[in-house]
Structures are given as structure tokens and as C-alpha cells.
Amino acid sequence: MTIALDRTVKSMTRPAPLSNRSYSKSREVKLALASKSPVKEQGTFEALQDARLEARILCYDVQVGVSQPIGMAQLEEVCYTRLVQLKEISGKQNPDYWVAVESGKVNLSSLHGAMDVTIAMAISKKKGDFISIGHGGGFLIPNSVLVQLEEKGELGLCDVEGVPFDKKKGGMVDLISLGSLKRVEFVKMAVRAALVPLLTDVEYP
């Protein structure tokens, strides 16, 4: 059920911490990821590199029954459900961190149209039941894709001017931006942001 990456992020010298903030020391950890997507795996790997943590990533196929979250509330709910299920099925591996990443369509209140937004949720042994959340990038969804989305119900079934996108490679953002934006960067940003509260002794609500 699990896939452990062959690569291990090598620890680096951490810069001096900001005043009044205590950062955890670099060490090897096990991180359970609620996906076997190569893009989410790579983005999480790079986020851990930025965090200067030696990491072994364990990937799980977690199904929640929702192919395309619509709205921020459902996006958060689906991500949370993945996280809870991940913790339940990964117990034997005894991870230090659990991470779920989700993308969905979010309508804009001030403008016409909608965005595809990426978020991540994470929990850790150290902080117990505290659930952290981080946002990655977002991008406008073209009108032609919105029309298809209404009909097909999932971005994965849509195309841009007749060209389908490959979810395993770059996703819709790569296709729309002609390669100038990468889905892996959105995943990396979301995971890194979600990990920040878990890597410090600073208290959060």
C-alpha cells in the first residue's frame, strides 16, 4: 500500500532563526502523503527540502469519493477527509507527519469566473490534534473549461482548445500557462505553508 521514495532529503545548515521563534532541529522524519500522484509526491519532496528536513515519504492511495471539489468549503472538507483517512491507514508505519493536498474550483465573489486553488493540510505527532492548513497558488479557469466542467464535472475530463491535459505531469495549470506555471510549484507552496506551524514552538489557534 505504501511507496517509500528512494531519495532522502539531505539536511542543510539552518540559518539563524528569527527572534522569539524556536525552530525544531533538522532530523530524519517519516511523512505520510495522501496521494500517489507523482506531482504531489515531488512537490512534497521539494517542500521538505526547503524545510531542511531529512525525510522518507510514504505515499498512500486515499479515495474520498469526490472527484472535483467545488467551493472553498468543500475543498477544505475533502482535504480534511483525506487527512483523517490517511492517519487511520498509515498507523503501522508510525509517521511523524501526515499531509493531504487537494485542488478545487473556487468561484470569485468580486469578479466573474472561478479559480483552481490548491491547499494542503498537515498534522504531526508533536502537535497532536492541531491541524495546519496552507494555500498554494491559484489560477483563473478559462471560460471554455468552465463550460466543460459544468457538463463533465471534473477538470480531468476537460481540454484547452482540444488539447487534453495530463494530470500526472503538469495538470491544467501547465496547459493553460503554456508551461510557464507548474502544478508541482503550487503543491510545494501549499505543503510548505502547512508545515510551518508544525515546525515551530509558536502557538496557533
Side-chain angles (χ1 to χ4, degrees):
M1 179 175 288
T2 65
I3 298 177
L5 295 184
D6 293 331
R7 52 196 176 185
T8 299
V9 182
K10 298 300 181 182
S11 61
M12 301 168 61
T13 302
R14 184 183 296 278
L18 299 174
S19 59
N20 299 324
R21 294 193 180 188
S22 175
Y23 288 79
S24 58
K25 295 180 180 179
S26 296
R27 67 178 184 84
E28 184 178 39
V29 301
K30 284 183 181 179
L31 183 147
L33 177 64
S35 177
K36 290 186 178 181
S37 160
V39 173
K40 292 181 180 180
E41 188 178 333
Q42 179 65 29
T44 301
F45 177 80
E46 293 181 10
L48 287 169
Q49 280 187 312
D50 285 354
R52 297 175 174 85
L53 289 173
E54 295 183 1
R56 182 185 177 200
I57 302 176
L58 307 174
C59 299
Y60 294 81
D61 185 16
V62 180
Q63 301 295 326
V64 294
V66 179
S67 58
Q68 183 63 61
I70 304 295
M72 185 58 72
Q74 188 179 51
L75 178 57
E76 292 180 359
E77 180 183 355
V78 171
C79 194
Y80 172 78
T81 300
R82 286 193 191 280
L83 189 66
V84 171
Q85 291 188 14
L86 173 67
K87 190 170 184 182
E88 290 178 355
I89 66 178
S90 64
K92 291 183 179 180
Q93 294 294 329
N94 195 28
D96 298 281
Y97 297 90
W98 296 262
V99 172
V101 181
E102 193 66 47
S103 297
K105 172 195 169 191
V106 177
N107 292 323
L108 299 174
S109 58
S110 58
L111 298 169
H112 295 296
M115 296 186 74
D116 183 286
V117 176
T118 301
I119 67 171
M121 289 186 178
I123 52 180
S124 68
K125 280 183 182 177
K126 181 179 179 181
K127 294 212 169 180
D129 294 332
F130 170 71
I131 300 174
S132 179
I133 184 170
H135 282 235
F139 61 92
L140 282 174
I141 303 174
N143 288 336
S144 62
V145 177
L146 287 175
V147 172
Q148 294 177 69
L149 186 57
E150 288 294 326
E151 299 174 351
K152 301 176 181 179
E154 183 179 351
L155 277 174
L157 302 176
C158 304
D159 62 71
V160 178
E161 297 183 351
V163 181
F165 77 93
D166 189 336
K167 192 172 184 179
K168 292 184 178 180
K169 291 183 179 179
M172 182 63 73
V173 62
D174 184 77
L175 186 58
I176 291 173
S177 69
L178 302 178
S180 63
L181 294 174
K182 301 295 183 183
R183 173 68 72 182
V184 67
E185 296 173 353
F186 288 21
V187 173
K188 173 183 174 181
M189 184 187 303
V191 173
R192 185 69 186 94
L195 286 175
V196 167
L198 303 180
L199 300 177
T200 76
D201 293 328
V202 178
E203 293 187 2
Y204 289 82

